[in-house]
Each structure stands twice: as C-alpha cells, then as structure tokens.
Amino acid sequence: GQFIGPDGEPVILRGLNVSQSAKRAPYLPWQTRDEFQQMRAWNCNCVRLLVIWAGIEPEPGLYDDEYLAAVRERLDWAHEAGLWVILDMHQDVYGEKYNHDGAPTWATVDGDLAYQPDSSLGWAAGYFQPAVMMAFENFWNDAPGPDGVGIQEHLVRAWRHAAEKLGDHPAVIGYDLLNEPFYGNLLGYPEALAALSKLGKELPPGTNPMTLFTPARAEEAQTFLRDPDRFFAALDLGDDLFRRFEQGRLLPFYERIIQALVEVTPEAIFFLEPHIGAASGAHSFLTRPETGGHEVQIAYAPHFYDPGCSPKAPYDGNPARARVAFERMRETADRLAAPVFLGEWGDAESPAESAPEYLKDQGELLRELGFSHCYWQYGHDLAERTGFPALLEVLAGDG
C-alpha cells in the first residue's frame, strides 16, 4: 500500500504531468532540460510523461525508434534532475482520426461513421459520438486492423516495444497503461440505458444528462452538482455499467498487457487507471489482475476533477465532493493492496478567482490521506497562474 524508495523508506510521489503539448506531432513535450531542473526546484520528485501510440506505431507493425529515442532523451533530463518517471500511454477521444491524441488513424475501426461533435459542449463530448464509441467498442473486442492483427493486440505489442526501448532507463519506475479508459458503445450496455432512465428522475427537470459535465450545463445543473449527496446518489446509478466494463473489458486488457511487459521489465510498477467516470468520483470495481504466475507491483492511478466547478462556476469552497471521491479511491486501493497515485488533478475546471482555494483544499486532502499525485499540467504559464503558490505548497508536502 506504499511506494518504497531505493533506501527502503516510504515515498510520496509528487509531480507534474508533462505535458499537453505532447498530444500533437511530434508527440513530445515542450519542456527542455532546464524545465526538468525547474520541476526539481519546485520540490517535484516525479513526472507523469505522456507518450502517444500514434507516435510509437505510425504504421501497422512499424515502430518509430527516433521518436522513442527522443523520449529517452527526456528521461535522461529527468534522471539528471532527480525525477522518477511514469510513462503514460495517453489518449483523449480515442485518437488522431477525431483530431485528438492516442490511437493512430489506421487503428481506428469505426465503420466510417460520421464524427460531428457539438463544440459548445466541450471537447469531451466527442466521446459520445457514435464513431468514437464504435472505435472503442472495436478496440475492446480486438477487431482486426488493416493487417489482420487485432487492434488491441497492436497496442500491446507497441507497449512492449516501448518498454524494450525505455524500460531499462534508471528514471523509469513504471507504466500508466491507458489514460482514462472509455467504455465503448454505451447504447450496447443495458446497464447504461437503465442508468440513464433512472438518472432522468434524479436530475433537475429539463436537464440533459449528456450536458451535465459540459460548459453548456444550466444553472439548475450547477446547483445539483454542488450538493454531494444528490450528486453521488445520481452518479452511483452507473455502478452496474462501471462494474461490467471494468471486470469484463478493462481488467482482461490489463492482465494481457502486464503479462507482455513483465517479461521485459519485471521490476516495473504497473499503474492501473479505473474507468473514465471515476475522475468525477464514481466507484471503481477493479480487482487485482491475474498475471500468469508473475509477481508484479501495481499502483491504483485514478484522476479527479471536481464536478462542482467549471469555467462558468467557481469553486464553492466545499471539499466534500473531493473527500467522498478520495475515500472511494482509498477503498479501491486497499482492495488492490496498492498505493494511490492520483495521476491527474488540478484547477483545469476552476477559474482563476477560485483556483487558490481549490488547490489548497485538494492539497490538504492529499496530505491527510497520503496520496501520491501528479498535477495536470505543466503549461507555459504555470508559474503565472493564480493558483501556483498554492500548488507549490502541495508539492512541498511535509518538507
């Protein structure tokens, strides 16, 4: 239940995600050696470093070792600065075909369905487009790619190749196997349809559940989200969906990929993310993976973005939502016999005027519960943001 450092003593990992800029070709963060040194000066001891499948495997079965060499150079910078690195296989809205990051276009099997998201609903609304849901559905089902090899199998092999090139680096402590896993075709889950039907009775009249977490949500929805009791009662209506997805699809994927990677780097820590909805505080139903007889180290790596605040709704000063979410994370980690690594958290959904209080409250909970964490994210303007002094206090930990 703890990270243990080279000296045999418990360690709390504290760091930054590096970074948003890696989501576009050439899939590398903007930070130089100097910024890695700066992170150490800010009391970071780790980095969650984004790597992108489309950068690793631009064509089926063909790997870009120049890209991986450039990633390795950044690992050198991290090591020089005294930072440990978690390699994060990042995706948003599946991948490149939808003008996001993750899977290469060739690895997108969506039946050529139209992709026409409503930009007013925010970028994450793209997940609910039929094309994206179908692409995920085919990924989980390991549908054949253009060369006849399963799409999921391609990612497993790409991960293994990356581990062969990078896993021996002294900065690398482990792998975050897939960023924010999404369910697939929600219309194919009876549990999802049942939850939506019940949710309509819990929400304020006239509220569209699909807009609940988007900038387009109405004031009635904002008020609803600020009430932890009402919000979590509604969120938990999805438990049957979350359980079916994690136990039927996500856990077998983790078992498959761990067995491939442990042969390459048996000492690595495998960072397991729950379903994407856990970032709002939903329960996770992950259990410890079966690993073919291998003894492996795992960490539980959820995210958290407070659903009660958004660019339109400043933080209300109520940490109760975060406390419920964090206590649920601890319960899952205890079940997994694993430490918690909060892979993403931050003020991305909190406007400037309330960011300092938001970060202060989050930091107090992180310290109280002993969570390791990486803040989202190290942008060019990080040190100029209003919440930065509060973030420095969180990174300082107990000194």
Side-chain angles (χ1 to χ4, degrees):
Q2 293 179 310
F3 293 102
I4 304 297
D7 60 359
E9 295 297 319
V11 171
I12 300 295
L13 299 175
R14 299 187 297 268
L16 304 173
N17 278 271
V18 177
S19 67
Q20 180 80 19
S21 61
K23 295 181 179 183
R24 294 287 181 265
Y27 311 111
L28 296 167
W30 64 270
Q31 286 83 359
T32 68
R33 176 182 277 108
D34 289 345
E35 280 72 37
F36 280 82
Q37 294 289 340
Q38 181 62 73
M39 284 186 274
R40 192 71 186 109
W42 288 336
N43 287 307
C44 296
N45 61 12
C46 75
V47 171
R48 182 172 179 255
L49 184 66
L50 278 64
V51 292
I52 307 297
W53 181 10
I56 298 170
E57 190 180 12
E59 299 295 336
L62 298 177
Y63 304 116
D64 187 343
D65 287 342
E66 290 186 5
Y67 168 64
L68 292 173
V71 173
R72 192 174 181 96
E73 181 180 31
R74 283 143 182 86
L75 297 178
D76 291 342
W77 299 342
H79 188 57
E80 291 169 9
L83 299 168
W84 292 303
V85 175
I86 300 100
L87 295 173
D88 158 44
M89 189 66 75
H90 209 83
Q91 72 79 33
D92 294 292
V93 194
Y94 192 79
E96 283 189 318
K97 185 174 181 181
Y98 310 114
N99 197 34
H100 285 278
D101 60 282
T105 297
W106 62 261
T108 308
V109 182
D110 62 3
D112 294 322
L113 294 171
Y115 177 70
Q116 298 174 325
D118 183 343
S119 59
S120 71
L121 300 180
W123 68 268
Y127 278 109
F128 301 100
Q129 285 287 297
V132 175
M133 290 196 292
M134 186 58 66
F136 273 105
E137 189 74 13
N138 283 313
F139 173 80
W140 297 121
N141 290 330
D142 205 15
D147 59 353
V149 176
I151 295 297
Q152 189 178 129
E153 176 65 19
H154 266 291
L155 179 57
V156 171
R157 294 180 185 181
W159 244 132
R160 182 175 176 121
H161 184 80
E164 290 170 346
K165 295 293 182 180
L166 306 174
D168 66 337
H169 196 285
V172 174
I173 61 171
Y175 314 119
D176 189 332
L177 299 178
L178 185 65
N179 182 68
E180 297 183 348
F182 186 76
Y183 317 99
N185 180 17
L186 288 171
L187 299 179
Y189 285 89
E191 298 88 346
L193 299 176
L196 283 172
S197 175
K198 294 176 183 177
L199 184 59
K201 301 174 184 176
E202 298 290 334
L203 297 178
T207 300
N208 179 353
M210 302 300 284
T211 67
L212 199 58
F213 299 101
T214 73
R217 65 194 189 203
E219 180 58 35
E220 292 80 5
Q222 300 277 23
T223 301
F224 167 81
L225 289 166
R226 293 189 192 107
D227 183 335
D229 292 337
R230 294 180 67 196
F231 169 68
F232 284 104
L235 188 63
D236 293 350
L237 293 173
D239 279 354
D240 289 343
L241 164 66
F242 307 146
R243 181 184 294 106
R244 176 174 173 175
F245 168 68
E246 289 189 328
Q247 295 184 354
R249 289 184 160 176
L250 187 57
L251 187 63
F253 166 68
Y254 284 155
E255 292 173 341
R256 180 178 185 179
I257 204 164
I258 289 172
Q259 290 181 42
L261 297 187
V262 73
E263 297 173 357
V264 178
T265 50
E267 299 302 316
I269 304 169
F270 297 97
F271 291 75
L272 308 185
E273 295 200 31
H275 65 97
I276 190 171
S280 295
H283 287 114
S284 170
F285 298 90
L286 286 175
T287 55
R288 196 168 177 91
E290 294 291 333
T291 54
H294 296 285
E295 291 189 10
V296 301
Q297 303 180 100
I298 64 170
Y300 180 51
H303 299 171
F304 182 70
Y305 293 107
D306 192 329
C309 46
S310 75
K312 288 171 55 180
Y315 179 54
D316 59 5
N318 182 5
R321 292 176 299 267
R323 178 171 291 280
V324 171
F326 285 14
E327 288 176 348
R328 290 177 172 194
M329 293 173 194
R330 170 59 66 201
E331 291 172 2
T332 301
D334 288 347
R335 184 170 66 247
L336 296 172
V340 174
F341 174 76
L342 192 63
E344 291 184 21
W345 71 281
D347 69 339
E349 297 302 316
S350 182
E353 63 267 27
S354 58
E357 184 181 12
Y358 178 70
L359 296 181
K360 177 179 177 292
D361 286 351
Q362 297 271 297
E364 289 178 356
L365 284 169
L366 291 170
R367 281 191 291 270
E368 176 187 334
L369 295 169
F371 286 3
S372 292
H373 55 86
C374 270
Y375 174 89
W376 184 268
Q377 54 100 23
Y378 187 178
H380 288 278
D381 67 341
L382 178 62
E384 285 75 50
R385 301 187 74 176
T386 58
F388 183 67
L391 174 62
L392 284 183
E393 292 185 15
V394 180
L395 292 174
D398 295 324

